Structure formats: C-alpha cells, structure tokens
Amino acid sequence: ADILRSRIQLARALYQAPDVETLETQISQSPDNSAARYQLAAHYVAQGDFEPALQQLLTIVQHDRQFGGDAGRRGMLAVFSMLDEESPLLHQFRTSMFNALH
C-alpha cells in the first residue's frame, strides 16, 4: 500500500509541474530545491527513465530527508518496485540509499 501511495504521489507531482528543461534550470540555479528535484524525478519515472529519477530522489534522501515526509526515500522504494529484481539499477541504488540512511 505504501508503494502504491508513493507511485500516486509521484504521478501527482506532475500535475502543473514545469517541463523537464525548466526543472533542470531551476535545479542548476538552486541545487537545494527538493520540490523541483522531486518533480523532475516524477517526469523521468513517467518516461520510464529510472536511473536519472533514482539519482534525483537519492539526492533528496542525502540532503533533505524531511522533504515531503521522506518523499525521496518513499519515491525510491516506488521506483524499486517497478524494476526487475535482477536490475543492476536496483542493486546500485538500494546500496546507495542504505548508505545515505545509515
């Protein structure tokens, strides 16, 4: 249920979100903009581009755990549920998330 809620939250992040280029510009100008990072990750997930989505979410986990009630971690778990168990991305980012959390 938590993963489903996180998937829905990622989808909702796209509602009235700027386009990818605008979000990338916002992040380059303000790297601590977790809301823009989360929206950018949601765009990437919607496009099926999971690696950059996970990188954006991991950055949120590393630098702003409180954002959106731990939305970065929950978003990563939602993306993990979309990946094949044998995916190298799954193993790479699970390890990175674990290291960031501990």
Side-chain angles (χ1 to χ4, degrees):
D2 287 337
I3 291 171
L4 181 57
R5 275 183 247 150
S6 295
R7 283 185 181 188
I8 291 169
Q9 186 177 3
L10 279 167
R12 283 186 181 158
L14 292 176
Y15 180 71
Q16 296 185 343
D19 61 39
V20 170
E21 294 79 21
T22 300
L23 291 167
E24 288 172 342
T25 299
Q26 288 176 359
I27 293 167
S28 70
Q29 293 172 350
S30 180
D32 61 340
N33 187 340
S34 295
R37 283 189 187 281
Y38 191 80
Q39 289 176 325
L40 184 58
H43 271 292
Y44 289 144
V45 169
Q47 297 168 5
D49 203 358
F50 299 122
E51 184 170 9
L54 286 166
Q55 187 57 58
Q56 294 301 321
L57 294 165
L58 178 61
T59 300
I60 295 169
V61 169
Q62 292 169 328
H63 300 287
D64 192 3
R65 279 291 305 279
Q66 302 307 313
F67 172 75
D70 205 15
R73 182 188 62 80
R74 289 186 291 111
M76 290 185 79
L77 294 174
V79 175
F80 293 162
S81 74
M82 298 175 204
L83 297 173
D84 183 270
E85 279 296 318
E86 300 303 317
S87 170
L89 284 179
L90 180 65
H91 299 290
Q92 173 190 346
F93 281 95
R94 271 187 181 163
T95 300
S96 296
M97 185 178 77
F98 178 82
N99 290 335
L101 295 172
H102 301 287

XYZ file of all heavy atoms in Angstrom:
806
model
N 0.827 -1.193 0.000
C 0.000 0.000 0.000
C 0.870 1.255 0.000
O 0.557 2.226 -0.680
C -0.930 -0.007 1.205
N 1.975 1.231 0.770
C 2.868 2.394 0.810
C 3.488 2.664 -0.555
O 3.623 3.816 -0.970
C 3.975 2.196 1.839
C 3.470 2.313 3.269
O 2.419 2.953 3.475
O 4.136 1.785 4.168
N 3.872 1.600 -1.250
C 4.476 1.760 -2.573
C 3.458 2.326 -3.547
O 3.776 3.222 -4.336
C 5.077 0.431 -3.068
C 6.294 0.083 -2.219
C 5.441 0.499 -4.538
C 6.857 -1.298 -2.462
N 2.228 1.849 -3.481
C 1.178 2.368 -4.352
C 0.941 3.851 -4.068
O 0.828 4.661 -4.990
C -0.116 1.572 -4.172
C -1.285 1.992 -5.045
C -0.924 1.922 -6.524
C -2.490 1.105 -4.761
N 0.896 4.225 -2.797
C 0.729 5.642 -2.436
C 1.889 6.474 -2.966
O 1.694 7.597 -3.446
C 0.622 5.790 -0.919
C -0.798 5.583 -0.444
C -0.897 5.799 1.042
N -1.201 4.454 1.542
C -0.872 3.953 2.692
N -0.226 4.669 3.553
N -1.189 2.735 3.030
N 3.093 5.938 -2.901
C 4.262 6.664 -3.406
C 4.192 6.825 -4.919
O 4.550 7.874 -5.458
C 5.549 5.937 -3.019
O 5.703 5.937 -1.620
N 3.729 5.805 -5.614
C 3.562 5.913 -7.063
C 2.536 6.989 -7.401
O 2.734 7.781 -8.319
C 3.101 4.579 -7.660
C 4.180 3.556 -7.792
C 3.650 2.339 -8.504
N 4.659 1.317 -8.627
C 4.502 0.219 -9.347
N 3.371 0.001 -9.987
N 5.460 -0.669 -9.420
N 1.451 7.016 -6.654
C 0.422 8.030 -6.867
C 0.986 9.411 -6.581
O 0.739 10.365 -7.317
C -0.830 7.728 -6.011
C -1.518 6.472 -6.542
C -1.791 8.912 -6.008
C -2.596 5.919 -5.630
N 1.774 9.531 -5.508
C 2.374 10.813 -5.165
C 3.320 11.280 -6.271
O 3.331 12.462 -6.614
C 3.109 10.716 -3.836
C 3.639 12.049 -3.356
C 4.310 11.954 -1.999
O 4.436 10.891 -1.412
N 4.755 13.086 -1.500
N 4.093 10.371 -6.844
C 4.971 10.737 -7.954
C 4.146 11.218 -9.143
O 4.488 12.218 -9.777
C 5.845 9.548 -8.373
C 7.077 9.276 -7.538
C 7.663 7.912 -7.872
C 8.126 10.365 -7.742
N 3.065 10.522 -9.434
C 2.202 10.929 -10.545
C 1.575 12.295 -10.276
O 1.486 13.138 -11.172
C 1.122 9.878 -10.788
N 1.158 12.534 -9.054
C 0.558 13.830 -8.694
C 1.567 14.963 -8.803
O 1.198 16.103 -9.033
C -0.007 13.778 -7.283
C -1.309 13.063 -7.199
C -1.886 13.175 -5.809
N -3.146 12.452 -5.746
C -3.680 12.003 -4.640
N -3.072 12.190 -3.483
N -4.829 11.372 -4.661
N 2.837 14.656 -8.614
C 3.874 15.689 -8.695
C 3.945 16.299 -10.087
O 4.436 17.417 -10.265
C 5.226 15.113 -8.297
N 3.436 15.586 -11.072
C 3.456 16.094 -12.442
C 2.336 17.093 -12.712
O 2.403 17.852 -13.666
C 3.348 14.937 -13.442
C 4.546 14.012 -13.486
C 4.286 12.860 -14.438
C 5.797 14.767 -13.885
N 1.314 17.091 -11.866
C 0.191 17.997 -12.049
C 0.692 19.431 -11.948
O 1.224 19.830 -10.929
C -0.900 17.720 -11.011
C -2.094 18.618 -11.144
C -2.972 18.465 -12.213
C -2.344 19.612 -10.224
C -4.068 19.281 -12.353
C -3.445 20.437 -10.349
C -4.304 20.272 -11.419
O -5.391 21.101 -11.553
N 0.572 20.163 -13.005
C 1.011 21.551 -13.108
C 2.510 21.722 -12.869
O 2.964 22.801 -12.504
C 0.199 22.460 -12.176
C -1.255 22.535 -12.541
C -2.038 23.536 -11.700
O -1.590 23.952 -10.639
N -3.199 23.926 -12.185
N 3.278 20.666 -13.057
C 4.733 20.768 -12.927
C 5.302 21.397 -14.197
O 4.784 21.164 -15.295
C 5.349 19.389 -12.719
N 6.361 22.178 -14.052
C 7.037 22.708 -15.243
C 7.620 21.568 -16.074
O 7.724 20.431 -15.603
C 8.154 23.575 -14.663
C 7.815 23.793 -13.240
C 6.971 22.634 -12.815
N 8.049 21.881 -17.284
C 8.653 20.867 -18.134
C 10.056 20.518 -17.634
O 10.599 21.179 -16.748
C 8.676 21.308 -19.595
C 9.486 22.584 -19.820
O 10.547 22.756 -19.193
O 9.055 23.419 -20.639
N 10.616 19.470 -18.189
C 11.910 18.949 -17.748
C 13.002 20.017 -17.836
O 13.784 20.197 -16.894
C 12.305 17.690 -18.566
C 13.743 17.284 -18.306
C 11.360 16.542 -18.267
N 13.050 20.739 -18.938
C 14.097 21.744 -19.123
C 14.011 22.841 -18.057
O 15.029 23.276 -17.513
C 14.010 22.361 -20.527
C 14.326 21.378 -21.643
C 13.160 20.441 -21.979
O 11.981 20.765 -21.668
O 13.430 19.365 -22.529
N 12.800 23.285 -17.751
C 12.614 24.312 -16.732
C 13.078 23.803 -15.369
O 13.760 24.517 -14.622
C 11.136 24.757 -16.663
O 10.760 25.276 -17.939
C 10.901 25.797 -15.595
N 12.713 22.564 -15.045
C 13.125 21.992 -13.764
C 14.637 21.836 -13.677
O 15.237 22.127 -12.641
C 12.424 20.647 -13.538
C 10.920 20.744 -13.303
C 10.275 19.369 -13.416
C 10.624 21.369 -11.949
N 15.258 21.403 -14.757
C 16.714 21.269 -14.763
C 17.387 22.624 -14.549
O 18.384 22.721 -13.824
C 17.187 20.623 -16.065
C 16.841 19.152 -16.144
C 17.125 18.522 -17.497
O 17.268 19.263 -18.516
O 17.192 17.278 -17.544
N 16.834 23.664 -15.143
C 17.360 25.014 -14.952
C 17.191 25.448 -13.496
O 18.119 26.006 -12.892
C 16.665 26.011 -15.900
O 16.911 25.608 -17.248
C 17.167 27.424 -15.688
N 16.023 25.194 -12.932
C 15.780 25.554 -11.535
C 16.778 24.864 -10.606
O 17.312 25.482 -9.677
C 14.351 25.186 -11.117
C 13.286 26.060 -11.718
C 11.879 25.601 -11.354
O 11.685 24.600 -10.661
N 10.885 26.333 -11.837
N 17.046 23.592 -10.869
C 17.980 22.832 -10.028
C 19.406 23.339 -10.203
O 20.161 23.433 -9.231
C 17.866 21.322 -10.316
C 16.502 20.815 -9.848
C 19.000 20.548 -9.655
C 16.141 19.437 -10.354
N 19.786 23.684 -11.432
C 21.144 24.190 -11.635
C 21.332 25.533 -10.931
O 22.420 25.837 -10.458
C 21.473 24.301 -13.121
O 20.730 25.339 -13.731
N 20.266 26.324 -10.837
C 20.344 27.621 -10.163
C 20.192 27.492 -8.648
O 20.680 28.337 -7.899
C 19.276 28.568 -10.709
C 19.512 28.951 -12.153
C 18.360 29.731 -12.761
O 17.283 29.852 -12.179
N 18.595 30.270 -13.945
N 19.490 26.455 -8.214
C 19.253 26.250 -6.786
C 19.299 24.758 -6.484
O 18.257 24.088 -6.437
C 17.893 26.843 -6.398
O 17.646 26.650 -5.033
N 20.501 24.198 -6.282
C 20.642 22.754 -6.092
C 19.881 22.183 -4.893
O 19.612 20.991 -4.852
C 22.154 22.563 -5.898
C 22.771 23.762 -6.506
C 21.788 24.884 -6.318
N 19.510 23.026 -3.957
C 18.776 22.540 -2.786
C 17.261 22.580 -2.970
O 16.516 22.373 -2.011
C 19.187 23.335 -1.540
C 18.877 24.815 -1.669
O 18.704 25.307 -2.796
O 18.824 25.500 -0.618
N 16.797 22.774 -4.190
C 15.366 22.835 -4.486
C 14.798 21.414 -4.580
O 14.715 20.832 -5.662
C 15.128 23.628 -5.772
C 13.667 23.868 -6.055
O 12.795 23.179 -5.540
N 13.392 24.854 -6.903
N 14.408 20.870 -3.456
C 13.916 19.486 -3.402
C 12.607 19.317 -4.164
O 12.377 18.267 -4.769
C 13.743 19.032 -1.956
O 15.000 18.980 -1.314
N 11.763 20.325 -4.150
C 10.485 20.222 -4.873
C 10.734 20.069 -6.378
O 10.110 19.224 -7.034
C 9.610 21.442 -4.588
N 11.667 20.846 -6.916
C 11.994 20.733 -8.338
C 12.632 19.378 -8.634
O 12.315 18.746 -9.651
C 12.932 21.866 -8.762
N 13.493 18.900 -7.743
C 14.110 17.576 -7.925
C 13.045 16.481 -7.947
O 13.101 15.555 -8.752
C 15.114 17.280 -6.826
C 16.418 17.978 -6.986
C 17.459 17.473 -5.985
N 18.640 18.288 -6.086
C 19.560 18.154 -7.045
N 19.426 17.220 -7.964
N 20.611 18.948 -7.070
N 12.086 16.586 -7.038
C 11.040 15.571 -6.954
C 10.180 15.588 -8.218
O 9.863 14.534 -8.774
C 10.191 15.811 -5.702
C 9.266 14.663 -5.393
C 9.745 13.527 -4.749
C 7.929 14.694 -5.764
C 8.908 12.456 -4.478
C 7.090 13.638 -5.492
C 7.578 12.519 -4.855
O 6.754 11.461 -4.592
N 9.825 16.781 -8.688
C 9.036 16.882 -9.917
C 9.818 16.356 -11.110
O 9.260 15.682 -11.983
C 8.603 18.323 -10.157
C 7.544 18.803 -9.192
C 7.206 20.266 -9.396
O 8.071 21.081 -9.735
N 5.947 20.612 -9.176
N 11.119 16.649 -11.152
C 11.955 16.140 -12.239
C 12.019 14.615 -12.192
O 11.893 13.946 -13.231
C 13.357 16.743 -12.150
C 14.320 16.374 -13.270
C 13.773 16.768 -14.637
C 15.681 17.034 -13.019
N 12.171 14.057 -10.994
C 12.165 12.594 -10.856
C 10.842 12.018 -11.348
O 10.824 10.988 -12.026
C 12.409 12.201 -9.406
N 9.743 12.688 -11.037
C 8.431 12.215 -11.485
C 8.337 12.228 -13.011
O 7.795 11.294 -13.613
C 7.327 13.075 -10.871
N 8.886 13.255 -13.637
C 8.925 13.288 -15.112
C 9.702 12.092 -15.644
O 9.259 11.413 -16.579
C 9.595 14.571 -15.616
C 8.685 15.725 -15.814
N 7.716 15.774 -16.791
C 8.601 16.907 -15.152
C 7.086 16.931 -16.737
N 7.590 17.638 -15.741
N 10.866 11.848 -15.063
C 11.697 10.733 -15.526
C 10.988 9.395 -15.340
O 11.047 8.529 -16.215
C 13.042 10.723 -14.795
C 13.985 11.836 -15.166
C 14.807 12.409 -14.193
C 14.090 12.317 -16.463
C 15.703 13.423 -14.514
C 14.974 13.337 -16.788
C 15.772 13.883 -15.816
O 16.656 14.884 -16.133
N 10.325 9.211 -14.220
C 9.587 7.963 -13.987
C 8.495 7.807 -15.037
O 8.316 6.724 -15.609
C 8.999 7.914 -12.555
C 8.007 6.765 -12.401
C 10.114 7.778 -11.526
N 7.773 8.873 -15.315
C 6.695 8.815 -16.314
C 7.235 8.443 -17.693
O 6.544 7.802 -18.479
C 5.960 10.149 -16.368
N 8.485 8.821 -17.961
C 9.118 8.495 -19.239
C 9.786 7.126 -19.227
O 10.325 6.680 -20.231
C 10.180 9.556 -19.582
C 9.629 10.938 -19.780
C 10.720 12.007 -19.821
O 11.918 11.715 -19.790
N 10.305 13.250 -19.889
N 9.785 6.464 -18.060
C 10.439 5.163 -17.939
C 11.949 5.267 -17.854
O 12.659 4.289 -18.077
N 12.452 6.455 -17.521
C 13.889 6.702 -17.424
C 14.265 6.665 -15.943
O 14.378 7.692 -15.277
C 14.206 8.055 -18.058
C 15.644 8.165 -18.504
O 16.418 7.212 -18.288
O 15.984 9.214 -19.072
N 14.466 5.455 -15.430
C 14.566 5.253 -13.990
C 15.891 5.685 -13.357
O 15.904 6.124 -12.208
C 14.274 3.794 -13.639
C 12.893 3.375 -14.028
C 12.688 2.320 -14.897
C 11.779 4.040 -13.539
C 11.404 1.934 -15.257
C 10.493 3.662 -13.890
C 10.304 2.605 -14.757
N 16.988 5.583 -14.081
C 18.273 5.933 -13.470
C 18.332 7.412 -13.066
O 18.670 7.721 -11.911
C 19.444 5.571 -14.375
C 20.779 5.835 -13.703
C 21.957 5.268 -14.479
O 21.784 4.809 -15.621
O 23.066 5.287 -13.915
N 18.024 8.363 -13.965
C 18.054 9.750 -13.514
C 16.986 10.056 -12.458
O 17.198 10.902 -11.588
C 17.853 10.576 -14.781
C 17.319 9.647 -15.784
C 17.738 8.263 -15.384
N 15.860 9.350 -12.511
C 14.833 9.532 -11.473
C 15.389 9.118 -10.117
O 15.259 9.860 -9.129
C 13.590 8.709 -11.801
N 16.030 7.970 -10.071
C 16.613 7.499 -8.814
C 17.717 8.424 -8.329
O 17.852 8.656 -7.125
C 17.124 6.064 -8.970
C 16.044 4.995 -9.028
C 16.616 3.676 -9.528
C 15.387 4.827 -7.667
N 18.489 8.986 -9.251
C 19.560 9.906 -8.843
C 18.974 11.156 -8.194
O 19.480 11.622 -7.174
C 20.436 10.283 -10.044
C 21.653 11.086 -9.635
C 22.507 10.353 -8.617
O 22.978 9.257 -8.860
N 22.706 10.948 -7.457
N 17.898 11.685 -8.762
C 17.259 12.867 -8.171
C 16.684 12.537 -6.789
O 16.845 13.307 -5.837
C 16.164 13.405 -9.093
C 16.661 13.964 -10.403
C 17.640 15.110 -10.235
O 17.497 15.965 -9.360
N 18.655 15.139 -11.084
N 16.031 11.402 -6.684
C 15.448 11.001 -5.400
C 16.525 10.731 -4.357
O 16.376 11.096 -3.190
C 14.538 9.783 -5.600
C 13.291 10.048 -6.451
C 12.655 8.737 -6.887
C 12.304 10.936 -5.719
N 17.628 10.115 -4.781
C 18.735 9.857 -3.858
C 19.316 11.172 -3.331
O 19.636 11.290 -2.148
C 19.823 9.030 -4.537
C 21.057 8.727 -3.691
C 20.695 7.915 -2.441
C 22.102 7.995 -4.533
N 19.426 12.164 -4.186
C 19.929 13.465 -3.751
C 19.017 14.059 -2.686
O 19.493 14.632 -1.699
C 20.068 14.420 -4.952
O 20.991 13.853 -5.886
C 20.562 15.790 -4.520
N 17.717 13.892 -2.854
C 16.777 14.358 -1.830
C 17.013 13.601 -0.526
O 17.061 14.196 0.552
C 15.317 14.221 -2.302
C 15.052 15.150 -3.486
C 14.342 14.512 -1.155
C 13.723 14.902 -4.186
N 17.171 12.286 -0.603
C 17.424 11.477 0.597
C 18.697 11.950 1.292
O 18.747 12.074 2.518
C 17.528 9.973 0.244
C 18.056 9.163 1.418
C 16.183 9.432 -0.218
N 19.726 12.245 0.531
C 21.016 12.627 1.101
C 21.002 14.014 1.732
O 21.702 14.250 2.705
C 22.095 12.590 0.013
C 22.403 11.197 -0.464
C 23.275 11.177 -1.709
O 23.207 12.071 -2.558
N 24.100 10.147 -1.816
N 20.201 14.935 1.181
C 20.305 16.332 1.601
C 19.056 16.917 2.248
O 19.143 17.996 2.843
C 20.701 17.200 0.405
C 22.013 16.801 -0.190
N 23.224 17.061 0.416
C 22.300 16.119 -1.323
C 24.201 16.574 -0.336
N 23.667 15.988 -1.383
N 17.910 16.247 2.113
C 16.674 16.844 2.628
C 15.679 15.751 3.014
O 14.594 15.652 2.446
C 16.074 17.778 1.568
C 14.958 18.662 2.084
O 14.660 18.612 3.305
O 14.376 19.410 1.274
N 16.062 14.940 3.997
C 15.220 13.811 4.418
C 13.815 14.231 4.818
O 12.877 13.460 4.701
C 15.846 13.081 5.618
C 16.937 12.109 5.328
C 16.519 10.864 4.606
N 15.464 10.074 5.183
C 15.585 9.194 6.161
N 16.743 8.993 6.725
N 14.547 8.515 6.575
N 13.646 15.441 5.295
C 12.337 15.881 5.778
C 11.401 16.307 4.649
O 10.203 16.461 4.876
C 12.505 17.041 6.770
C 13.373 16.690 7.962
C 12.915 15.421 8.669
O 11.744 15.255 8.948
N 13.850 14.530 8.946
N 11.932 16.484 3.439
C 11.097 16.944 2.337
C 9.929 15.984 2.098
O 10.116 14.779 1.925
C 11.911 17.086 1.039
C 11.050 17.365 -0.151
C 10.499 18.618 -0.337
C 10.748 16.367 -1.062
C 9.673 18.876 -1.418
C 9.924 16.607 -2.146
C 9.387 17.875 -2.324
N 8.742 16.527 2.108
C 7.547 15.757 1.773
C 7.332 14.534 2.642
O 6.792 13.544 2.163
N 7.734 14.597 3.898
C 7.560 13.429 4.766
C 8.368 12.239 4.307
O 7.879 11.120 4.260
N 9.639 12.494 3.951
C 10.567 11.457 3.474
C 10.187 10.965 2.074
O 10.322 9.797 1.736
C 10.648 10.299 4.465
C 11.950 9.525 4.386
O 12.919 10.027 3.775
O 12.005 8.405 4.924
N 9.723 11.909 1.251
C 9.279 11.579 -0.109
C 10.397 11.013 -0.974
O 10.140 10.185 -1.851
C 8.675 12.811 -0.779
N 11.627 11.443 -0.735
C 12.742 10.905 -1.517
C 12.896 9.407 -1.334
O 12.975 8.651 -2.305
N 12.911 8.967 -0.089
C 13.048 7.529 0.205
C 11.830 6.761 -0.306
O 11.962 5.719 -0.952
C 13.219 7.295 1.703
C 13.411 5.815 2.068
C 13.378 5.607 3.578
N 12.101 5.978 4.154
C 11.003 5.195 4.136
N 11.050 4.000 3.584
N 9.879 5.615 4.683
N 10.664 7.289 -0.047
C 9.446 6.598 -0.485
C 9.365 6.543 -2.011
O 8.932 5.538 -2.582
C 8.206 7.259 0.115
C 8.108 6.991 1.622
C 6.826 7.492 2.271
N 6.767 8.955 2.302
C 5.925 9.707 1.580
N 5.037 9.148 0.796
N 5.943 11.020 1.666
N 9.819 7.606 -2.665
C 9.857 7.601 -4.123
C 10.818 6.558 -4.658
O 10.520 5.864 -5.637
N 11.979 6.436 -4.002
C 12.936 5.412 -4.430
C 12.338 4.019 -4.287
O 12.480 3.181 -5.182
C 14.235 5.521 -3.623
C 15.049 6.748 -3.957
S 16.644 6.802 -3.108
C 17.590 5.665 -4.147
N 11.649 3.777 -3.182
C 11.019 2.465 -2.995
C 9.971 2.191 -4.070
O 9.844 1.060 -4.560
C 10.397 2.370 -1.602
C 11.392 2.386 -0.439
C 10.648 2.429 0.897
C 12.330 1.202 -0.496
N 9.237 3.223 -4.460
C 8.236 3.055 -5.520
C 8.915 2.694 -6.845
O 8.457 1.803 -7.563
C 7.407 4.323 -5.671
N 10.022 3.365 -7.153
C 10.750 3.047 -8.388
C 11.336 1.645 -8.302
O 11.281 0.882 -9.281
C 11.838 4.099 -8.684
C 12.673 3.691 -9.890
C 11.216 5.473 -8.901
N 11.868 1.267 -7.147
C 12.399 -0.091 -6.984
C 11.338 -1.128 -7.339
O 11.639 -2.157 -7.936
C 12.883 -0.342 -5.561
C 14.092 0.442 -5.134
C 14.391 0.572 -3.790
C 14.940 1.053 -6.059
C 15.508 1.277 -3.375
C 16.055 1.772 -5.645
C 16.339 1.886 -4.307
N 10.089 -0.859 -6.958
C 9.013 -1.820 -7.226
C 8.718 -1.945 -8.721
O 8.100 -2.918 -9.147
C 7.742 -1.432 -6.465
O 7.111 -0.318 -7.058
N 9.176 -0.984 -9.512
C 8.960 -1.018 -10.965
C 10.084 -1.728 -11.701
O 9.956 -2.036 -12.880
C 8.846 0.420 -11.501
C 7.696 1.201 -10.952
S 7.785 2.908 -11.569
C 6.846 3.749 -10.287
N 11.177 -1.981 -11.000
C 12.347 -2.594 -11.628
C 12.354 -4.102 -11.435
O 11.827 -4.616 -10.450
C 13.632 -2.010 -11.020
C 13.862 -0.524 -11.218
C 15.084 -0.070 -10.418
C 14.041 -0.193 -12.690
N 12.982 -4.786 -12.364
C 13.191 -6.224 -12.263
C 14.155 -6.513 -11.114
O 15.098 -5.757 -10.880
C 13.773 -6.730 -13.587
C 13.943 -8.218 -13.597
O 15.038 -8.684 -13.189
O 13.008 -8.920 -13.998
N 13.928 -7.578 -10.398
C 14.786 -7.936 -9.255
C 16.256 -8.113 -9.638
O 17.124 -7.997 -8.795
C 14.278 -9.221 -8.581
C 13.129 -8.994 -7.640
C 13.496 -8.121 -6.440
O 14.587 -8.284 -5.857
O 12.674 -7.256 -6.097
N 16.527 -8.400 -10.892
C 17.901 -8.596 -11.347
C 18.511 -7.324 -11.921
O 19.649 -7.338 -12.394
C 17.949 -9.713 -12.400
C 17.452 -11.050 -11.890
C 18.218 -11.528 -10.661
O 19.458 -11.410 -10.629
O 17.558 -12.018 -9.722
N 17.796 -6.230 -11.880
C 18.270 -4.978 -12.461
C 19.494 -4.454 -11.713
O 19.487 -4.335 -10.485
C 17.164 -3.927 -12.399
O 17.678 -2.658 -12.733
N 20.560 -4.121 -12.453
C 21.730 -3.520 -11.802
C 21.383 -2.196 -11.109
O 21.968 -1.864 -10.084
C 22.713 -3.282 -12.953
C 22.224 -4.100 -14.085
C 20.766 -4.332 -13.874
N 20.426 -1.447 -11.678
C 19.994 -0.196 -11.043
C 19.425 -0.451 -9.659
O 19.681 0.314 -8.729
C 18.924 0.507 -11.886
C 19.354 1.241 -13.125
C 18.142 1.841 -13.828
C 20.367 2.314 -12.800
N 18.645 -1.498 -9.537
C 18.033 -1.833 -8.257
C 19.112 -2.051 -7.198
O 19.061 -1.463 -6.118
C 17.148 -3.075 -8.388
C 16.446 -3.547 -7.123
C 15.443 -2.511 -6.642
C 15.744 -4.875 -7.390
N 20.091 -2.850 -7.522
C 21.152 -3.154 -6.566
C 22.011 -1.922 -6.268
O 22.339 -1.655 -5.109
C 22.005 -4.318 -7.059
C 21.205 -5.570 -7.222
N 20.699 -6.281 -6.151
C 20.777 -6.221 -8.334
C 20.010 -7.322 -6.590
N 20.039 -7.305 -7.909
N 22.353 -1.167 -7.299
C 23.182 0.024 -7.132
C 22.496 1.050 -6.229
O 23.100 1.555 -5.276
C 23.467 0.645 -8.497
C 24.172 1.985 -8.429
C 24.214 2.683 -9.779
O 23.948 2.097 -10.820
N 24.546 3.962 -9.767
N 21.233 1.352 -6.518
C 20.563 2.409 -5.771
C 20.047 1.943 -4.412
O 19.925 2.764 -3.501
C 19.466 3.065 -6.620
C 20.035 4.054 -7.596
C 20.310 3.681 -8.903
C 20.327 5.348 -7.197
C 20.848 4.593 -9.803
C 20.868 6.260 -8.085
C 21.126 5.889 -9.394
N 19.777 0.663 -4.246
C 19.452 0.162 -2.901
C 20.649 0.373 -1.977
O 20.499 0.812 -0.840
C 19.086 -1.326 -2.933
C 17.649 -1.597 -3.161
C 17.375 -3.075 -2.997
N 15.966 -3.372 -3.229
C 15.506 -4.578 -3.474
N 16.319 -5.614 -3.538
N 14.216 -4.755 -3.679
N 21.827 0.043 -2.486
C 23.038 0.221 -1.694
C 23.277 1.689 -1.391
O 23.583 2.064 -0.255
C 24.256 -0.377 -2.452
O 24.026 -1.773 -2.665
C 25.541 -0.179 -1.673
N 23.104 2.535 -2.389
C 23.303 3.974 -2.190
C 22.300 4.536 -1.199
O 22.653 5.357 -0.346
C 23.183 4.717 -3.524
O 24.201 4.323 -4.406
N 21.052 4.099 -1.287
C 20.040 4.573 -0.343
C 20.378 4.096 1.065
O 20.300 4.872 2.019
C 18.645 4.095 -0.746
C 17.551 4.665 0.154
S 15.878 4.170 -0.309
C 15.839 2.497 0.310
N 20.756 2.831 1.202
C 21.126 2.297 2.518
C 22.259 3.114 3.122
O 22.215 3.500 4.291
C 21.526 0.822 2.397
C 21.961 0.231 3.705
C 21.041 -0.220 4.620
C 23.322 0.150 4.019
C 21.446 -0.761 5.835
C 23.741 -0.374 5.233
C 22.798 -0.840 6.151
N 23.275 3.391 2.324
C 24.418 4.171 2.816
C 23.998 5.587 3.217
O 24.509 6.123 4.201
C 25.533 4.221 1.767
C 26.213 2.885 1.599
O 26.224 2.044 2.496
N 26.768 2.656 0.419
N 23.098 6.182 2.477
C 22.638 7.529 2.797
C 21.823 7.550 4.091
O 21.880 8.514 4.846
C 21.802 8.090 1.643
N 21.097 6.489 4.325
C 20.241 6.428 5.512
C 21.015 6.072 6.781
O 20.556 6.354 7.885
C 19.107 5.416 5.307
C 18.099 5.772 4.222
C 17.137 4.616 3.976
C 17.343 7.044 4.578
N 22.164 5.412 6.619
C 22.904 4.951 7.795
C 24.229 5.572 7.852
O 25.159 5.760 7.686
C 22.993 3.427 7.802
C 21.645 2.794 7.816
N 20.832 2.792 8.916
C 20.937 2.184 6.833
C 19.703 2.195 8.628
N 19.734 1.802 7.378
